[in-house]
Structure formats: structure tokens, C-alpha cells
Amino acid sequence: MCLGIPAQVIECGEHYARCQGPDGEQRIDIRLVGAQAPGSWLLCFLDAAREVIDAERAAAITAALSALDAVNAGETDLSAFFADLEREPQLPEFLRTPTP
């Protein structure tokens, strides 16, 4: 299994960028996404960027990865990791009963 890890660009060259990820600084291959400005977020697989993402998505992915770490450590309350899910579930429009 391969997990996408968010990393923020610190400095960018033609083919590689120096990025800050959860495990510190790393060299990321950017040939699939092209050069990116410092501060940009990349979704990386095996030290290669596959997608440019926004900061909100990077935070959500980082929270989900932190939840995996918490589960591995024996945690059972994961609500702190999924704040975006703190809402009443809604049925999709096509499943709702039409109101007259």
C-alpha cells in the first residue's frame, strides 16, 4: 500500500524541490507536476509529487494520517482528527423524500 503524504515546498528547482513533510525536510521529484512556488503543497508518493493540493486538503490528509498513528497506538476516540465530520449526516438529494 502506498500513502500520499502532504509536503510543503521550501525551495524549488527544475526537477526537484526541497520540501517540509511530516518527517522533516526531503527532496521531492516534481517532474509530474512541474515547478511550484515556495509555500505550495504537494501530495507525494515515494518521494515524488503526484498532485498539487491546497492547504486545506493537506491539513485534512495530515489529520487522517495522524489518526492512523493514533489507532496504531491504541487510541479509540478519533473525533479530534476528523473535525470536518462533526455534523449530522445528510442523505444525498436523490434519496430524500420529496416534500409537497
Side-chain angles (χ1 to χ4, degrees), residues 48-90:
R50 299 289 192 261
E51 184 180 347
V52 179
I53 59 175
D54 61 27
E56 185 177 310
R57 183 154 179 235
I61 294 168
T62 299
L65 293 172
S66 296
L68 286 175
D69 288 339
V71 167
N72 285 333
E75 295 280 333
T76 56
D77 179 12
L78 303 177
S79 58
F81 300 104
F82 300 102
D84 60 323
L85 299 180
E86 292 296 319
R87 59 179 169 71
E88 189 67 29
Q90 300 292 314

Side-chain angles (χ1 to χ4, degrees), residues 3-4 6 9 11 14 20 28 31 34 43 45 55 60-61 63 68 70 72 74 77 91 93-94 97 99:
L3 293 175
V9 176
E11 181 179 49
E14 185 177 350
Q20 180 67 39
I28 300 294
R31 288 177 282 188
L43 189 57
F45 297 81
I61 294 168
L68 286 175
N72 285 333
D77 179 12
L91 280 174
E93 186 68 38
F94 68 92
T97 305
T99 55

